[in-house]
Amino acid sequence: MTPGIRPLIAGNWKMNGSWRGSRRLADAVRDAAPALDCSLLVCPPFLHVQAVAATLLGSPVAVGGQDCHAKPSGAHTGDIGAPMLRDAGATHVLLGHSERRADHGESSALVFAKCEAALAAGLTPVVCVGETEAQRDAGHAEAVVGQQLSESLPLGFITAGGIIAYEPVWAIGTGRTPTEADIAAMHAHMRRRLVLAFGPTAELTRLLYGGSVKPSNAAAILALPDVDGALVGGASLVADDFIAIAQAVPRG
Ligand code: PGA
């Protein structure tokens, strides 16, 4: 945790769930939210954003998309623009998730453009960065993440409250996590890079950890310095697990 930052627990539902299932999951998170000492965000598939946003209207749980196009509208078959997400009730958007980078060849330059589109639409971007296993084994993890940060974030990112999620690619959906020392070192590295690039305002930028966060490891990870929350994939699909992770946020 970083003093002065309210932790955020975010759920990335990826390409899972039915309309009814998403509503049920959102209901459970909404009902648990008042007793939780953190901010909450859920990111359903595009098709369910509107229904989930309606379910969560008036609750403290925010809704995000999992991606957006770099252009606000136009001839881009199958894509979704940031203003559409906003219109459907989203306030946040995940950008540059490693599954987007891998499955759709997204570069940091594209993430930068998407970030600008999100900010222009009034959405808070959650930019994902992280190294592959080969890059970590070669000792390049900090350099890779540093480069992703410097290439992905436009000027207004920090002042608009943009969020970073450090997600080592090899820890996503594998049940494996870096050591606590490795997570703390990477988060300290990201904080230094951001403060150098954007100035002292970046001391209050939320830095989330993601990659196989579950109820059994959440308390230890969330207690680390400069870890201001978690981006949760698999465990966010089970309401009790997601809520248990949010309950593991250390009391500030
Ligand atoms: P995981 O996914 O929690 O299932 O590892 C995290 C993510 O991809 O955001």
Side-chain angles (χ1 to χ4, degrees), residues 10-12 14 94 97-99 128 167 171-176 210-214 231-236:
N12 174 9
K14 308 194 180 185
L94 304 180
H97 190 282
S98 65
E99 286 151 15
C128 306
E167 298 202 306
I172 294 176
T174 59
R176 296 164 58 209
S212 296
V213 176
K214 45 194 177 226
L231 179 55
V232 186
S236 73

Side-chain angles (χ1 to χ4, degrees), residues 24-124:
R24 255 201 311 276
L25 196 47
D27 278 344
V29 177
R30 182 199 58 212
D31 292 348
L36 297 170
D37 199 14
C38 59
S39 299
L40 295 163
L41 167 68
V42 294
C43 300
F46 284 139
L47 264 180
H48 303 165
V49 164
Q50 196 159 5
V52 167
T55 299
L56 296 175
L57 196 68
S59 89
V61 186
V63 182
Q66 298 175 11
D67 177 48
C68 71
H69 197 273
K71 292 274 191 307
S73 64
H76 302 289
T77 303
D79 280 312
I80 299 285
M84 295 169 158
L85 277 174
R86 185 88 175 118
D87 191 40
T91 52
H92 291 66
V93 61
L94 304 180
L95 293 174
H97 190 282
S98 65
E99 286 151 15
R100 300 285 320 169
R101 292 179 190 259
D103 296 354
H104 300 274
E106 292 195 3
S107 63
S108 290
L110 182 60
V111 176
F112 182 100
K114 291 183 173 202
C115 239
E116 288 196 308
L119 293 172
L123 294 172
T124 302

